[in-house]
Amino acid sequence: MANSSSVLSRLLAKLVDYQHVCIIILCVFLISSSGWILMGRGLRNSASIWDYLHVYLGLVTAGLSVSMLITHCVRGQWRQMFPWLLADFSQLSKDLSGLVKGRIPVAGGRGLFSCIEGMGILLLVGVGFSGVIWFFLQGSTDALVWRGYHILLVKGFIGFILIHVFCACLHLVDFIRN
């Protein structure tokens, strides 16, 4: 029994190590294939493989998004990614005023980059949550409402991805400069 628990703990540790990469791969697939699916209130009787892949890989991604949120909160990073929960805007305001002066914000801490990451995790959890609710409400009129929420949150998440990539590029520029 002890051996199986150590195997499980090692497996969970690997999942935590690779969850960011898994989420990236799954999100790229889900976003790029979303134009090929035809779903309103739910899966059609004649649903394509793309519909099924989107739904079931989306459910996996929703689970991973919650896992990522929990991982970041348990490791204490919630203070960095959500400093507004502590009413701490000091580094964020420094980063924003520095940005106006042409300075790249500092990576890490409770600044702009960390807040953007926190908003991204919340958006991803929102996308997953709305997709899961839409899945369970299939066939009902409420399913269309949750479909609307899902699409809106996906658009916000795509905006986050673009900002996140831009920030990563700024971080690399700063790293190369130093």
Side-chain angles (χ1 to χ4, degrees), residues 4-18:
S4 65
S5 67
S6 67
V7 169
L8 182 62
S9 64
R10 283 196 311 256
L11 182 64
L12 287 173
K14 283 293 179 197
L15 175 64
V16 168
D17 291 342
Y18 292 109

Side-chain angles (χ1 to χ4, degrees), residues 69-153:
L69 178 64
I70 290 169
T71 300
H72 283 76
C73 288
V74 168
R75 290 184 178 173
Q77 290 177 326
W78 70 270
R79 290 179 185 89
Q80 290 181 331
M81 296 182 160
F82 312 112
W84 43 271
L85 290 173
L86 301 169
D88 181 2
F89 300 100
S90 57
Q91 188 173 349
L92 180 60
S93 63
K94 284 179 194 173
D95 284 352
L96 290 173
S97 65
L99 198 61
V100 171
K101 296 173 185 172
R103 288 190 301 247
I104 297 174
V106 177
R110 297 178 181 187
L112 182 62
F113 288 160
S114 296
C115 288
I116 289 170
E117 286 181 62
M119 293 307 293
I121 289 175
L122 292 179
L123 280 167
L124 181 60
V125 170
V127 168
F129 179 77
S130 61
V132 168
I133 298 297
W134 178 20
F135 176 77
F136 284 113
L137 293 176
Q138 284 186 74
S140 72
T141 54
D142 290 337
L144 290 175
V145 172
W146 283 96
R147 176 183 184 266
Y149 294 149
H150 185 69
I151 291 170
L152 179 67
L153 288 164

Side-chain angles (χ1 to χ4, degrees), residues 102-105 169-178:
R103 288 190 301 247
I104 297 174
C169 290
L170 285 178
H171 182 63
L172 285 173
V173 166
D174 192 42
F175 181 74
I176 291 169
R177 218 184 318 173
N178 292 332

